[in-house]
Amino acid sequence: MADLQNPDICIIGAGALGIALALRARRLGASVLLIDRGAEEAGDPAQGRLVAATFAASAARAQDIRTAGALGLAHAEPKPNFKAIGEHAKALAASTAPRDAKERLIALGIDYRTGQPAFTGRQTLKLGDATLRPRHVILATGAKPIVPAIPGLNEIAYFTPDTIAGNSRKLSHLVVIGGDASAIELAQAYHRLGAMVTLVPQGEILSGFDREQVAILLRQLAEEGPEIVEGATVSAILPRRQGTGVELTHADGSTHSLDVSHVLVAMGRLPDLAGLRLDRAKVRFDKTRPAFLQLNPDGRTTNTRISAVGGAAGQGQPHAAARYGAIIIDGLFGTGASRLDSQAIPSFIQTAPGLASIGLVEGERPLPEGTLVLRASFAENDAARALGQTHGAAKLLASRNGKILGASIIGPGAGEVIAMLALAMERGMPASALAELVLPHPSLAAVLTQLGEAFLATRQPTTWGKRSQALRKLLG
């Protein structure tokens, strides 16, 4: 007879996100079933984020060596050893693997099982011979890289963001196809590690970010070295006995070919929901984007007992997925907000300079009437000057009464600065409060005090304020 089990929460997907959510739910006292589908979740392996961060750190250090002369130090052309870089990243990942190990999770009270689950009804699913009836199911599956239908692409051994980390050889000329965050980040990193890099965005670059600041980032990248071919598309891959030919078609119809050593495809991701039989659970997909689930603002599918987060929900940035997942978990137990506010989650591109945004973005859609657009430049920031990284700016969108509606930052420390703004927005702090921040000197976050002061400069003194000022003059 089939085994009937009723956990409070069943999380499908034992990647980094699924493990984090299982631990959070367990801390709240829930009975948790975590299902490992038998392979690493695409784009979200347990230690994948640390491996990526370690590789990016190696690339940044190489650039520091190359540009040390700007700070009065001896500089040199770095000599990256890709095998050593990869082994260093794997060693760090291995050192943290025990915290995500199956044995530890079981010891913490999480029911950990391996297999391919499939729904059999609105609230039931099968896992092997077991029939499960969880109170709530969270889809924390990964998302597979999109592979475009480019003639000849399937005839070569191309990279994706999931596979390129396994490369142990120097790439002499890498062409990056795509214009999303991973495409930009990897293009810069591999150029810093000595590769010649050509980036072909295949459309708009970094959609959803402030276009003025994206332009600053692209200009900085181009000055650093990678070639960015905007307005062109890769129309064909031409396999050769040695190397690879890449045919580019420009907006005017003209074409030309590149001789490259390797190809990286980074054009976004699609949810990996294969085999789950979501139709049996009455879960519908979005009519305008058939590969994506139809989700409510609270992250639930058309079956209210099933939620989706991370790759399953089309969320591309790990920190955002983690926040969404935490809100879902907390909402189920009444310990926090039960709805997702997409405007309160920052987006971040881990380039140098970094690019970050939160809330409304200028130019993406018409701003509310009376919106103030305030700016502060890193050229006026002492910390940025000391680092020799003065290219960049912070932009704040605020209502006349001081409500912070959004912000965009391009410059050093963008991720940390946007996190401070996210907290300010969550706590309902007005723009004027930014001027009162007490920061160590020098600090990259001083751009926030500049923005706060810029807001105060727009405020007209009230009649009472004018009278008080006049009275103080008389009494003085």
Side-chain angles (χ1 to χ4, degrees):
M1 184 175 180
D3 182 26
L4 185 65
Q5 299 190 38
N6 307 279
D8 291 328
I9 294 178
C10 172
I11 299 173
I12 300 177
L17 177 61
I19 291 171
L21 296 183
L23 290 170
R24 189 181 188 92
R26 193 72 193 98
R27 286 195 295 270
L28 293 175
S31 57
V32 181
L33 170 61
L34 177 62
I35 299 178
D36 182 341
R37 297 199 293 170
E40 290 185 342
E41 293 296 341
D44 190 36
Q47 283 80 46
R49 300 174 194 175
L50 179 57
V51 171
T54 304
F55 178 81
S58 295
R61 189 65 59 87
Q63 186 68 4
D64 288 341
I65 295 171
R66 184 180 290 116
T67 60
L71 298 181
L73 303 173
H75 62 275
E77 186 61 30
K79 298 179 180 180
N81 182 325
F82 277 84
K83 183 179 180 181
I85 291 171
E87 289 176 348
H88 172 59
K90 289 178 182 177
L92 282 181
S95 69
T96 63
R99 72 185 182 192
D100 298 329
K102 173 182 176 180
E103 294 76 14
R104 176 176 180 266
L105 298 176
I106 292 174
L108 291 172
I110 295 170
D111 187 0
Y112 189 111
R113 303 193 190 187
T114 302
Q116 176 58 55
F119 284 92
T120 58
R122 289 186 60 87
Q123 196 181 347
T124 57
L125 61 156
K126 293 277 288 185
L127 182 65
D129 294 330
T131 297
L132 309 172
R133 192 181 294 272
R135 173 185 162 197
H136 197 84
V137 176
I138 298 178
L139 305 177
T141 60
K144 293 183 176 180
I146 295 173
V147 179
I150 299 174
L153 181 61
N154 61 353
E155 299 178 36
I156 66 168
Y158 59 87
F159 293 124
T160 70
D162 291 352
T163 62
I164 196 168
N167 170 67
S168 60
R169 296 181 179 181
K170 179 180 177 180
L171 310 181
S172 56
H173 186 177
L174 175 69
V175 64
V176 180
I177 304 175
D180 68 358
S182 62
I184 306 300
E185 292 165 357
L186 289 169
Q188 183 178 50
Y190 274 93
H191 181 269
R192 289 181 159 194
L193 290 172
M196 178 179 176
V197 175
T198 301
L199 175 69
V200 187
Q202 299 283 95
E204 186 177 24
I205 302 177
L206 300 179
S207 175
F209 283 87
D210 184 288
R211 304 323 298 170
E212 178 183 342
Q213 296 192 339
V214 168
I216 294 174
L217 173 60
L218 296 182
R219 186 165 58 249
Q220 285 295 106
L221 290 179
E223 290 178 3
E224 192 171 296
E227 180 184 7
I228 303 172
V229 190
E230 293 190 75
T233 59
V234 174
S235 50
I237 301 294
L238 310 171
R240 295 172 180 163
R241 296 183 66 180
Q242 289 189 338
T244 301
V246 176
E247 184 177 86
L248 302 182
T249 299
H250 298 271
D252 61 3
S254 63
T255 63
H256 82 275
S257 295
L258 299 174
D259 291 317
V260 306
S261 62
H262 297 83
V263 174
L264 166 65
V265 177
M267 294 190 64
R269 295 177 178 272
L270 294 177
D272 182 9
L273 303 169
L276 295 179
R277 297 306 306 268
L278 291 169
D279 56 319
R280 295 177 178 177
K282 307 301 181 184
V283 173
R284 292 196 292 271
F285 286 77
D286 194 307
K287 292 181 179 179
T288 60
R289 299 190 305 164
F292 293 84
L293 296 172
Q294 181 179 325
L295 298 175
N296 294 331
D298 60 359
R300 302 197 187 203
T301 68
T302 48
N303 179 341
T304 57
R305 291 183 178 273
I306 301 174
S307 298
V309 68
Q315 296 158 357
Q317 299 206 321
H319 67 276
R323 181 59 178 150
Y324 281 125
I327 292 175
I328 289 174
I329 294 288
D330 293 352
L332 291 173
F333 292 90
T335 60
S338 61
R339 298 185 70 84
L340 307 176
D341 182 5
S342 60
Q343 296 294 313
I345 307 294
S347 297
F348 179 50
I349 308 300
Q350 300 187 58
T351 48
L355 176 62
S357 70
I358 188 171
L360 297 184
V361 175
E362 185 182 27
E364 190 175 38
R365 62 175 63 93
L367 298 175
E369 185 177 352
T371 298
L372 299 172
V373 181
L374 309 169
R375 291 177 170 82
S377 173
F378 277 100
E380 301 172 5
N381 182 283
D382 287 349
R385 286 176 175 174
L387 291 171
Q389 300 175 23
T390 57
H391 294 285
K395 182 184 294 185
L396 187 75
L397 306 181
S399 65
R400 290 289 181 183
N401 64 3
K403 181 179 180 180
I404 301 174
L405 304 176
S408 299
I409 300 172
I410 174 80
E416 287 72 20
V417 175
I418 206 72
M420 296 176 68
L421 276 172
L423 181 62
M425 292 175 68
E426 184 178 345
R427 300 296 172 84
M429 292 174 58
S432 58
L434 299 178
E436 301 171 5
L437 289 174
V438 179
L439 301 169
H441 181 80
S443 170
L444 294 170
V447 293
L448 297 181
T449 60
Q450 287 180 262
L451 292 170
E453 291 165 357
F455 172 76
L456 291 175
T458 67
R459 301 179 68 174
Q460 298 296 326
T462 63
T463 301
W464 172 249
K466 292 178 180 178
R467 291 176 178 175
S468 297
Q469 186 176 17
L471 180 60
R472 284 195 296 271
K473 287 182 178 180
L474 288 174
L475 296 176

